[in-house]
């Protein structure tokens, strides 16, 4: 028993939806394309799970956030796939792959063959048991990676109003879920090993700005320690957490955000792996010419840095998916994938963007007690990263253009004095670049640095605005 397709997308996350839309734009014929996903629903905008989905009033639910609404494009409902002749093979696990024979074998025993395969398998959440702590199966211990996780978390939150929540992890998931919990009138303690939140991106100065804001909302930060064990009641429900430093915290709900691992197991020993993901070239093509990888699972060349990186970033997933499709359909006219890492976030009334890398010395500008401030990172005499809080559309476009240029910086004091004026002046001398539509999406740049085991977070982005539903 089996089916054959010209194009197969393995994985049903954000990248899959954007790849499907690009295939239709490139004129794929009915019956040529299928998407195989373990989830029972069509691809959706995953960032919505930690924002609008967790709102206490009028929470977002499917079909509202199917792809590709996050980039202000069509909303691809199951009906859309049917109308475009795209086969959705949902609720289906692929148990083995043979890239030499170009076949996939499902858990149900069906063989699916392809001419071209796009791997969009994303990543899985790390579990506590992988670090020697049991308790993930308790009814009030939650993770957040897919729709089922979000549904479970929302249900537990409804029964925890006025109670205590402990968030394990101070990165993207931790910060964003903490904001949701506060809005749901739940007391929050955040536990992480670093001296400040977003330890792999923010400097202490930048982190303090946001920590003070979270503290003003009632969030309690417990830094420099990790979870050691849970306290259970006779029914197996968690009632508290014990930390390695001896601290004990009451808990009606625990949310764990301690990192992810790319889903590469099907292709180990068959494709070249790098930096935890599947190594691809500037066309997103793997070591097997018929197999492409996109999104969280792909380690691709980042031209601006002259090295390969694996970026866990919703924008990177969207753009890499589209580029892979173009490279497959139009190989002779598709340029190299030239991506500038960036992330964007809204934290209640705040909003900020970061482009490039946080390598080197941080040079601050603006008023940290006011509505707008920022930082540049200078490495080996060149500006390699830019951060801006409270900027305008034009200012964000300017820091993106200039960061991509990597201009030489001879005088750090002068750069500090000019502040935002440095990129604004320089950007006026550059050719007009396409506007980057970040909308309200949350993005995360994963930097290749040593990770604390309790804080190998799924990204390095502080919480996006929970006050307004965004993708």
């Amino acid at each position: 028993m089996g089916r054959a397709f010209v194009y197969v997308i393995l994985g049903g996350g954000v990248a899959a939806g954007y790849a499907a839309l690009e295939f239709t734009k490139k004129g794929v014929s009915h019956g040529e394309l299928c998407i195989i996903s373990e989830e029972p629903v069509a691809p959706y905008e995953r960032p919505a799970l930690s924002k609008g989905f967790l709102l206490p009033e009028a929470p977002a639910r499917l079909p509202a956030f199917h792809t590709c609404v996050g980039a202000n494009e069509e909303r691809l409902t199951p009906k859309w796939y049917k109308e475009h002749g795209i086969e959705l093979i949902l609720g289906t696990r692929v148990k083995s792959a043979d890239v030499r024979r170009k076949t996939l074998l499902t858990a149900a025993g069906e063989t699916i063959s392809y001419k071209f395969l796009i791997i969009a398998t994303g990543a899985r959440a790390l579990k506590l048991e992988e670090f020697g702590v049991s308790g993930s199966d308790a009814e009030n211990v939650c993770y957040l990676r897919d729709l089922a996780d979000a549904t479970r978390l929302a249900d537990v939150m409804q029964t925890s109003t006025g109670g205590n929540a402990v968030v394990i992890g101070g990165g993207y998931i931790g910060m964003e879920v903490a904001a949701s919990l506060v809005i749901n009138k739940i007391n929050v303690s955040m536990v992480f090993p670093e001296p400040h939140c977003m330890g792999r991106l923010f400097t202490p100065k930048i982190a303090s700005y946001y920590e003070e804001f979270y503290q003003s909302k009632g969030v309690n930060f417990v830094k420099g320690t990790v979870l050691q064990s849970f306290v259970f009641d006779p029914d197996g429900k968690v009632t508290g957490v014990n930390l390695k430093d001896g601290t004990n915290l009451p808990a009606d709900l625990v949310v764990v955000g301690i990192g992810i691992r790319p889903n590469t197991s099907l292709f180990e020993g068959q494709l070249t792996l790098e930096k935890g993901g599947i190594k691809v070239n500037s066309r997103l093509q793997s070591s097997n010419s018929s197999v492409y990888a996109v999104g969280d699972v792909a380690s691709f060349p980042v031209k601006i840095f002259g090295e390969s990186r694996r970026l866990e970033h919703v924008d990177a997933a969207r753009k890499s998916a589209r580029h892979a499709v173009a490279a497959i359909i139009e190989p002779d006219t598709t340029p190299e994938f030239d991506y500038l890492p960036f992330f964007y976030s809204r934290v209640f009334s705040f909003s900020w963007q970061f482009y490039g890398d946080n390598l080197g010395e941080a040079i601050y500008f603006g008023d940290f007690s006011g509505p707008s401030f920022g930082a540049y990172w200078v490495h080996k005499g060149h500006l390699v990263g830019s951060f801006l809080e409270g900027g305008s559309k034009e200012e964000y476009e300017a820091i993106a253009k200039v960061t991509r240029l990597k201009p030489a910086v001879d005088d750090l004091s002068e750069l500090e004095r000019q502040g935002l004026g440095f990129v604004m002046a320089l950007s006026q001398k550059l050719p007009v670049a396409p506007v980057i539509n970040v909308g309200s999406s949350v993005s995360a740049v994963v930097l290749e640095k040593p990770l604390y085991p309790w804080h190998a977070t799924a990204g390095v982005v502080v919480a996006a605005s929970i006050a307004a539903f965004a993708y």
Side-chain angles (χ1 to χ4, degrees):
M1 182 175 73
R3 283 180 279 179
F5 298 89
V6 179
Y7 313 104
V8 171
I9 301 170
L10 179 58
V14 171
Y18 284 80
L21 181 60
E22 190 68 16
F23 269 120
T24 63
K25 291 181 178 180
K26 299 294 184 185
V28 68
S29 299
H30 282 224
E32 288 188 333
L33 170 65
C34 86
I35 295 175
I36 307 172
S37 175
E38 288 192 35
E39 292 198 71
V41 297
Y44 55 88
E45 301 284 356
R46 201 172 296 274
L49 299 180
S50 54
K51 293 180 284 298
F53 197 91
L54 300 179
L55 288 175
E57 297 181 8
R61 293 292 183 265
L62 290 176
F65 56 93
H66 279 301
T67 58
C68 297
V69 295
N72 298 318
E73 301 241 23
E74 292 183 74
R75 180 161 56 96
L76 312 187
T77 63
K79 181 182 178 182
W80 181 91
Y81 290 96
K82 185 176 182 179
E83 290 174 347
H84 288 81
I86 299 172
E87 185 80 16
L88 289 178
I89 304 176
L90 305 177
T92 299
R93 182 177 66 86
V94 171
K95 68 176 185 179
S96 66
D98 189 329
V99 300
R100 185 176 63 84
R101 295 183 178 181
K102 299 184 179 180
T103 59
L104 304 171
L105 180 63
T106 72
E110 180 182 15
T111 298
I112 297 173
S113 62
Y114 60 85
K115 184 177 180 181
F116 293 98
L117 174 67
I118 296 179
I119 302 171
T121 48
R124 64 173 181 83
L126 285 172
K127 295 299 180 73
L128 292 169
E129 283 71 14
E130 296 176 65
F131 300 101
V133 179
S134 60
S136 289
D137 56 348
E139 64 180 79
N140 57 337
V141 173
C142 300
Y143 293 80
L144 185 56
R145 189 65 190 168
D146 56 26
L147 184 62
D149 290 339
T151 300
R152 183 167 179 262
L153 174 57
D155 289 343
V156 178
M157 286 171 62
Q158 288 181 359
T159 64
S160 302
T161 300
N164 300 298
V166 177
V167 176
I168 307 298
Y172 165 50
I173 292 296
M175 295 295 284
E176 190 156 275
V177 171
S180 295
L181 293 167
V182 167
I183 289 176
N184 280 272
K185 303 186 185 307
I186 299 172
N187 303 311
V188 181
S189 291
M190 293 187 64
V191 179
F192 49 87
E194 295 88 351
H196 57 80
C197 70
M198 310 302 295
R200 288 162 52 206
L201 175 66
F202 284 174
T203 65
K205 185 178 180 69
I206 295 174
S208 294
Y209 182 86
Y210 295 104
E211 285 182 7
E212 289 175 6
F213 174 75
Y214 267 66
Q215 288 169 332
S216 75
K217 296 293 184 180
V219 176
N220 172 40
F221 288 98
V222 185
K223 307 175 184 180
T225 189
V226 297
L227 173 67
Q228 186 170 57
S229 64
F230 288 123
V231 178
F232 299 95
D233 68 11
D235 297 323
K237 183 178 180 179
V238 171
T239 58
V241 300
N242 298 317
L243 305 182
K244 192 173 182 178
D245 68 354
T247 300
N248 306 107
L249 298 172
D252 300 290
L253 165 63
V254 177
V255 182
V256 182
I258 56 175
I260 66 166
R261 285 292 180 271
N263 293 315
T264 61
S265 60
L266 288 173
F267 303 98
E268 292 173 4
Q270 300 189 76
L271 301 177
T272 301
L273 304 184
E274 178 183 68
K275 297 184 178 180
I278 295 171
K279 182 180 180 180
V280 296
N281 59 22
S282 57
R283 297 162 55 82
L284 288 311
Q285 188 177 41
S286 75
S287 55
N288 182 292
S289 61
S290 65
V291 179
Y292 293 68
V294 298
D296 292 356
V297 79
S299 177
F300 63 89
V302 180
K303 292 178 66 175
I304 189 174
F305 300 135
E307 65 180 39
S308 289
R309 295 193 183 186
R310 192 177 57 77
L311 303 180
E312 296 159 7
H313 178 316
V314 65
D315 184 74
R318 292 167 179 162
K319 290 178 178 172
S320 63
R322 287 170 159 165
H323 197 91
V325 173
I328 292 170
I329 302 295
E330 301 168 344
D332 297 329
T333 58
T334 301
E336 294 183 337
F337 189 48
D338 186 7
Y339 189 77
L340 173 66
F342 90 100
F343 63 81
Y344 166 91
S345 185
R346 289 180 178 172
V347 185
F348 297 102
S349 60
F350 304 116
S351 67
W352 44 266
Q353 293 185 21
F354 174 93
Y355 291 86
D357 203 352
N358 66 342
L359 187 65
E361 183 175 354
I363 306 298
Y364 303 101
F365 60 86
D367 182 4
F368 273 72
S369 63
S372 182
F373 64 89
Y376 299 121
W377 279 263
V378 179
H379 180 63
K380 295 183 177 179
H382 290 268
L383 189 152
V384 299
S386 300
F387 170 94
L388 179 61
E389 161 66 46
S392 66
K393 176 176 178 289
E394 292 74 19
E395 290 167 343
Y396 287 133
E397 290 175 359
I399 66 171
K401 287 170 64 177
V402 173
T403 302
R404 181 181 287 279
L405 182 66
K406 293 178 66 176
V409 176
D410 298 322
D411 188 335
L412 297 183
S413 297
E414 179 62 17
L415 177 65
E416 181 179 11
R417 186 191 68 79
Q418 292 186 33
L420 189 58
F422 175 81
V423 296
M424 296 304 292
L426 187 55
S427 68
Q428 298 301 316
K429 304 175 184 179
L430 300 175
V432 177
V435 175
I436 297 175
N437 177 23
V438 297
S440 303
S441 61
V442 176
S443 308
V445 181
V446 174
L447 305 173
E448 297 298 334
K449 294 183 178 180
L451 306 181
Y452 291 96
W454 297 111
H455 193 214
T457 56
V460 286
V461 181
V462 83
S465 173
I466 311 300
F469 176 42
Y471 308 110

